[in-house]
Amino acid sequence: SLALFRNLLVEVGEIYEKLRPAQRAKELIGFVSSEYGHALHPLRTILGRRLDAIFVELGVLKGANCFTMRRHPYPTSVIGVDPFKTKGHFEEAIALRNTLFGAKNPGMKWLRTNYLGARNDVKAELERLKSEGIDILLINPVGDESMMMQIWTQYHDLVSIGGFVIFSGFLESPVVKQVIINLMDKSEFIFSGFLFLGSPRNPEGATFLGPPENQPAYGKAMSDLVVIRRIA
């Protein structure tokens, strides 16, 4: 049940913080994210039972979104991009991935590189998977405003027509909020072919694991995501 699942996440978070120094826990807040339940799963379902859909995440963290999307009932291949700069971050994420999926899983590829230098690698993966483009692109808060705008510029044209772009952190990250405002202001020439769908409802009040002072001060039914769809 949802209640049992939430309790499990809380227990995992508590154990995780006990095992790691305080600073380490702060660096990697959000052991398991909430995006999947109220956004990623239904958006993947909307795309239908095609042969294979492509999910790309910029900012893998521990891989929770990648893992859950790979487990979606409809076939979904996963590409994650993350520099994994924090000591031990990559090794921990790989250990979790190997435990859940095995050491060899051709449907899940992580690119250990910086976000702005990964475009060609992502294109190469799309070609390997014989895909025309990205079906769901999740962009996490991974840099300052200039970097986030460059990420949009580099990746948005890789999204397939009918595919989705999701910005995470809209309500809790001033940077993400400003990026969305910038894109809306420049819609006449940057946003051609894309449609703002807005923020999905979050009726369960799902949140992320982290210290209370970092919990955003907004209504529990509001989502921290902004969804955009490519229509042309």
Side-chain angles (χ1 to χ4, degrees):
S1 69
L2 180 60
L4 289 174
F5 182 65
R6 283 177 173 166
N7 289 337
L8 175 62
L9 297 189
V10 171
E11 290 172 8
V12 169
E14 290 174 350
I15 293 171
Y16 176 72
E17 292 199 16
K18 288 178 182 178
L19 291 175
R20 298 290 168 188
Q23 184 58 36
R24 180 78 167 94
K26 289 179 181 178
E27 289 172 353
L28 291 176
I29 288 169
F31 180 68
V32 177
S33 64
S34 64
E35 286 98 340
Y36 182 74
H38 67 278
L40 295 178
H41 184 280
L43 290 179
R44 172 62 191 95
T45 303
I46 286 171
L47 292 173
R49 292 181 178 271
R50 61 174 64 188
L51 180 61
D52 202 355
I54 307 297
F55 169 70
V56 175
E57 180 172 26
L58 304 182
V60 170
L61 197 63
K62 287 299 189 66
N65 287 318
C66 292
F67 300 152
T68 47
M69 286 298 282
R70 183 64 181 149
R71 292 285 193 185
H72 192 281
Y74 298 169
T76 306
S77 293
V78 171
I79 303 170
V81 179
D82 199 306
F84 294 104
K85 290 182 178 179
T86 306
K87 184 178 180 180
H89 181 183
F90 182 68
E91 291 74 16
E92 290 179 21
I94 287 294
L96 283 170
R97 190 184 73 179
N98 291 350
T99 298
L100 293 170
F101 297 94
K104 295 182 180 179
N105 192 304
M108 184 183 300
K109 177 75 172 182
W110 284 349
L111 304 173
R112 191 179 185 182
T113 182
N114 68 78
Y115 306 107
L116 296 181
R119 176 188 161 88
N120 289 338
D121 294 329
V122 171
K123 287 185 67 177
E125 268 307 294
L126 293 174
E127 291 173 4
R128 181 183 72 82
L129 295 167
K130 298 180 178 171
S131 173
E132 295 181 358
I134 300 168
D135 296 294
I136 300 177
L137 172 63
L138 175 60
I139 303 175
N140 291 301
V142 293
D144 58 19
E145 182 182 334
S146 173
M147 180 176 177
M148 294 288 284
M149 289 297 296
Q150 290 181 68
I151 285 174
W152 165 262
T153 300
Q154 287 197 15
Y155 286 91
H156 77 275
D157 65 321
L158 297 181
V159 177
S160 301
I161 294 176
F164 298 96
V165 180
I166 305 171
F167 280 92
S168 177
F170 176 66
L171 293 177
E172 54 191 50
S173 169
V175 169
V176 175
K177 185 177 294 185
Q178 187 58 51
V179 167
I180 296 299
I181 291 172
N182 291 347
L183 293 177
M184 294 179 73
D185 286 345
K186 299 177 181 179
S187 60
E188 68 275 9
F189 59 94
I190 289 184
F191 237 53
S192 178
F194 287 83
L195 177 68
F196 270 100
L197 299 183
S199 181
R201 293 183 66 248
N202 177 22
E204 295 84 10
T207 183
F208 67 96
L209 295 176
E213 62 269 20
N214 284 356
Q215 297 294 334
Y218 54 81
K220 288 186 176 181
M222 296 181 67
S223 170
D224 197 31
L225 310 174
V226 169
V227 181
I228 302 163
R229 191 169 198 182
R230 185 170 187 179
I231 58 175

